[in-house]
Structures are given as structure tokens and as C-alpha cells.
Amino acid sequence: MEKKTVFRYIKPGDLAAMERELDELALQGLGCARPGRLWRRYAPGAEARWHRIGYSRTGAGSADEITYLAAQERAGWQLLSRRKNWLLFGMPRGADEQKPELTTHREPVKAHFAPIIARWESARRVMLVLGTLLLLAGFAGDFRPVQYCAVLPLVVALIATYAIKFLQEGPDK
């Protein structure tokens, strides 16, 4: 069997989708050395295993990260790869067992997404206020082009709402 390359976009925060793909291809004997959201290359020769994606809030080699990795190893998880502060853990698959959680569950990932979500929420509030003011000004002045200008901030607020949804709900899947 030769290498398999997968081009499939995975939404930000949807870690469960990437883990499902890694688990399914591991059953076929394919292992991924460096997963990414858009492009992944799988090589043959991997054993069937469960995969979990974790996040280290501190840099590589720090005391907090060493403690975090030691806790995962005690729980049976092995570090398979690292990309910046994102960590891919693997555990050999047992017969008829459920996929175990990391010892910290998704708390480091949620802490990583918290400031990003806060920025999206700020942008959403500004766009909602701007859109409302443009609508009110257009109605008060009976000037349609000002009313039409309210569409752009409201569309940006809609996009921000969906980004917040994916970042908040993605790690919980």
C-alpha cells in the first residue's frame, strides 16, 4: 500500500472530526505523522489506535508541559506528533472498549479558544450596533442607500456568530 494524501477542510474547533478521520484510517493501517486542518498525508504500517488532540498552553519543554505530558502517559496516551502547541496523542485500540478521554479532557483547548472567542464577540457587538444605527438613520432620514449599508455589518455579525458557535461547541463533541 502506498501513501494516501487527504485534502479535506476541517472547521476550526472541530477536533472530533479530525479524530474520527484519524481513527478510521488507523483501522485501515494508515498513520498520520503531522495532521492539519486542510492537508494530511497518511503512511502505511500503523496499528489500530484511538487518537485524541490536546493543546499545551505553554511552550515546548516547559515544566507545565512536562507535567501535562507525564499525566497523559500515565493514563496510557502516547505522544505521536506535535505541531506548534497542538499535540496528537494515540492509544492502542482494545476490543470493544470506548474511546477514553485525555486526563484534562478539552480544558486546555477551551482555554486556547477563549481569547479568540472574546475577539469575535467584540466584533459581533460592534457590527450589531453599527447595523442598527445605520438602519435607524436610514428610516429616520428616509434614505434607502443608508439602509442598504446596514447589510454589510449585519452579515459580518452573522459570520462572527457562526465562528463563535464552532469554537465553543467544537471541543465538546
Side-chain angles (χ1 to χ4, degrees):
M1 179 183 266
E2 58 188 55
K3 290 183 179 180
K4 177 177 183 175
T5 302
V6 175
F7 294 100
R8 182 176 152 238
Y9 179 72
I10 295 178
K11 295 177 217 151
D14 194 4
L15 303 177
M18 185 177 294
E19 289 173 351
R20 270 193 312 273
E21 180 181 298
L22 292 167
D23 292 343
E24 289 169 6
L25 290 174
L27 282 175
Q28 299 173 16
L30 297 170
C32 185
R34 289 189 59 167
R37 280 191 345 204
L38 177 62
W39 181 76
R40 290 165 297 287
R41 177 168 281 164
Y42 294 90
E47 63 178 321
R49 61 175 63 227
W50 295 113
H51 292 88
R52 282 289 182 192
I53 297 173
Y55 185 79
S56 172
R57 297 180 65 193
T58 58
S62 67
D64 289 338
E65 184 186 84
I66 291 170
T67 305
Y68 175 68
L69 292 175
Q72 302 309 327
E73 285 180 13
R74 281 193 300 276
W77 290 101
Q78 174 188 6
L79 181 64
L80 299 177
S81 74
R82 158 185 218 102
R83 189 170 196 162
K84 296 185 184 176
N85 286 355
W86 290 97
L87 307 168
L88 176 63
F89 294 100
M91 175 185 287
R93 228 179 238 245
D96 297 334
E97 67 179 49
Q98 291 286 347
K99 184 175 185 176
E101 285 287 330
L102 295 173
T103 58
T104 56
H105 302 287
R106 296 283 193 205
E107 298 311 315
V109 175
K110 290 178 184 177
H112 169 70
F113 287 148
I116 299 169
I117 291 169
R119 283 193 299 271
W120 275 111
E121 286 177 345
S122 297
R124 180 173 61 173
R125 278 192 295 271
V126 167
M127 291 299 141
L128 285 174
V129 169
L130 180 62
T132 303
L133 290 176
L134 286 171
L135 277 175
L136 291 175
F139 280 123
D142 197 26
F143 192 55
R144 291 217 184 254
V146 174
Q147 291 175 347
Y148 295 148
C149 290
V151 171
L152 186 61
L154 294 176
V155 167
V156 171
L158 178 70
I159 291 169
T161 301
Y162 278 106
I164 291 168
K165 174 190 175 287
F166 286 126
L167 291 174
Q168 284 179 338
E169 295 178 2
D172 291 333
K173 291 181 183 180

